[in-house]
Amino acid sequence: MKAVVLDSLGGPEKLTLRDIEQKAPGPGEVSVKLAASALNRRDLWITQGKYPKIALPCVPGSDGAGVVDALGDGVQSDLLGQQVVIYPAKNWGPEQRHYGPDFRVLGMPDQGTFAEYICVAASDVYPKPAHLDWPQAAAIPLAGLTAWRAVTTQGHVQPGQRVLITGAGSGVSTFAILWCLNLGAEVYVSSGSDEKLAAAKAMGVAGGENYCDPACYKKLRQQSGGFHTVIDSAGGDALNSLLDSLLPGGRLVFFGATLGNPTKGLELAKLFFRQIRIQGTTMGSNAEFAAMIDFVAAHRILPVIDRVMALEDAVAAHQRMEGFSHTGKICLLYTSPSPRD
């Protein structure tokens, strides 16, 4: 089968498309003939050597959707031919509060979705929402799940609440906007790009400011009256400004630290007097994934797609992500997986 393979580090240019062995599904597994996949920043970081415990060669890719085309022993027969979306990891474990010691994300060291076929546990495939096309379905898994856990499990976002989402335009932030809007929250955003702010406002957010303005988060607090929840992926020296924008009892939920730790430290007295909670989060469980897919289907949500490219264009797709010029997800579309489509 055709697959995108990373043999050595050095950026997206080290990715190559070639034939590799196609595996048969083992006991409890299914084989999925992939119709589409999507990129995450994790995939780019792996090519650059910026991800922990890199093992090469690897087939990257965590997001995928397609048709179940073969069953391993012990798998119920009605899964054959089903259109599915793949849970983007393995072995979350029994504890919903955090993942277990065997948890790992697809796409290194396990084979990822930048290939024509993949074998995964039968319990890790979920029905594709009927209103989505293949790239839209493939866009959801990792970024959607990370945002879902941040918004619902950790952020407890409720109808009528005000939420600030930083870094509008990234895959996770775009899904966080969609989840919050469809939950009935009032959403505000920040971005370093006026174009991405305009795109977020077109989605229905109530307001946005450019974080290159030192007064960005002060302005957003004044516009909104303060936030019940802030969802952030950057950290850095904006952290205290974000905490200042929270209402008493508010939550700051963060899923990344692209700007590192704040050099000024935290103003702890402000936090405990105002009952502020800081909550880290990443990825999500199978139960959360199932709830997210049901939510997408019930609300007929359409993921934001930056562009759809061919599997053969994987290098160019990663280079586009590298330039931070995209809004939403970059997807790879394969040959249609089955006449049943």
Side-chain angles (χ1 to χ4, degrees), residues 4 35-39 114 308-311 313-314 317 330-334:
V4 175
S37 63
L39 277 65
F114 296 163
V308 178
M309 306 172 76
L311 182 63
D313 297 323
I330 301 169
C331 299
L332 302 176
L333 180 63
Y334 308 171

Side-chain angles (χ1 to χ4, degrees), residues 5-15 43-51 53-58 108:
V5 182
L6 181 69
D7 288 302
S8 61
L9 303 178
E13 296 76 18
K14 298 297 183 178
L15 294 166
D43 303 311
L44 177 63
W45 286 338
I46 289 172
T47 71
Q48 297 170 336
K50 296 179 180 178
Y51 202 82
K53 299 181 181 179
I54 291 177
L56 301 179
C58 70
M108 198 280 299

Side-chain angles (χ1 to χ4, degrees), residues 9-331:
L9 303 178
E13 296 76 18
K14 298 297 183 178
L15 294 166
T16 59
L17 181 67
R18 66 169 186 264
D19 287 313
I20 65 170
E21 179 184 1
Q22 180 183 343
K23 295 182 179 179
E29 291 186 334
V30 298
S31 170
V32 178
K33 183 171 175 55
L34 288 156
S37 63
L39 277 65
N40 292 287
R41 194 147 296 275
R42 175 184 190 269
D43 303 311
L44 177 63
W45 286 338
I46 289 172
T47 71
Q48 297 170 336
K50 296 179 180 178
Y51 202 82
K53 299 181 181 179
I54 291 177
L56 301 179
C58 70
V59 176
S62 307
D63 294 339
V67 171
V68 175
D69 77 314
L71 309 177
D73 292 342
V75 177
Q76 59 190 54
S77 60
D78 60 356
L79 274 178
L80 190 64
Q82 293 296 307
Q83 298 183 3
V84 297
V85 184
I86 299 169
Y87 177 68
K90 293 185 175 184
N91 303 326
W92 176 271
E95 176 57 69
Q96 290 297 305
R97 292 179 302 168
H98 57 81
Y99 54 71
D102 297 326
F103 176 79
R104 56 196 186 273
V105 180
L106 292 180
M108 198 280 299
D110 300 277
Q111 184 209 307
T113 55
F114 296 163
E116 292 179 308
Y117 296 86
I118 189 170
C119 293
V120 296
S123 57
D124 287 344
V125 296
Y126 296 81
K128 178 178 82 69
H131 70 286
L132 299 180
D133 63 23
W134 287 118
Q136 289 168 338
I140 296 172
L142 191 149
L145 181 58
T146 299
W148 181 261
R149 184 172 175 87
V151 167
T152 62
T153 305
Q154 311 289 26
H156 296 285
V157 172
Q158 302 295 316
Q161 290 186 342
R162 297 187 295 278
V163 181
L164 170 60
I165 299 169
T166 68
S170 76
V172 179
S173 295
T174 301
F175 276 112
I177 293 168
L178 287 171
W179 304 154
C180 289
L181 289 173
N182 281 276
L183 285 166
E186 184 177 309
V187 181
Y188 294 77
V189 298
S190 69
S191 174
S193 162
D194 290 339
E195 182 179 351
K196 292 181 180 181
L197 289 172
K201 289 176 181 177
M203 293 172 65
V205 307
E209 292 289 337
N210 193 309
Y211 58 60
C212 296
D213 179 354
C216 168
Y217 296 116
K218 183 177 180 180
K219 289 179 179 179
L220 285 168
R221 179 182 172 84
Q222 291 170 343
Q223 291 172 26
S224 65
F227 300 103
H228 299 88
T229 304
V230 171
I231 297 173
D232 179 53
S233 63
D237 284 333
L239 189 60
N240 280 309
S241 295
L242 293 174
L243 291 167
D244 284 342
S245 75
L246 284 168
L247 295 166
R251 299 168 184 252
L252 186 144
V253 181
F254 69 99
F255 58 88
T258 55
L259 296 180
N261 297 320
T263 59
K264 300 176 183 178
L266 298 178
E267 299 176 34
L268 296 180
K270 282 188 177 182
L271 302 184
F272 62 72
F273 280 126
R274 292 165 56 221
Q275 306 285 328
I276 298 299
R277 177 181 296 182
I278 301 176
Q279 174 68 58
T281 188
T282 186
M283 292 292 293
S285 68
N286 286 75
E288 290 167 316
F289 191 81
M292 175 187 69
I293 294 296
D294 288 345
F295 187 80
V296 169
H299 291 266
R300 297 185 64 82
I301 295 171
L302 297 176
V304 176
I305 305 295
D306 178 79
R307 64 184 53 196
V308 178
M309 306 172 76
L311 182 63
E312 292 80 5
D313 297 323
V315 171
H318 283 73
Q319 289 170 334
R320 179 165 178 78
M321 173 169 279
E322 193 172 26
F324 287 96
S325 57
H326 63 293
T327 298
K329 296 288 286 186
I330 301 169
C331 299

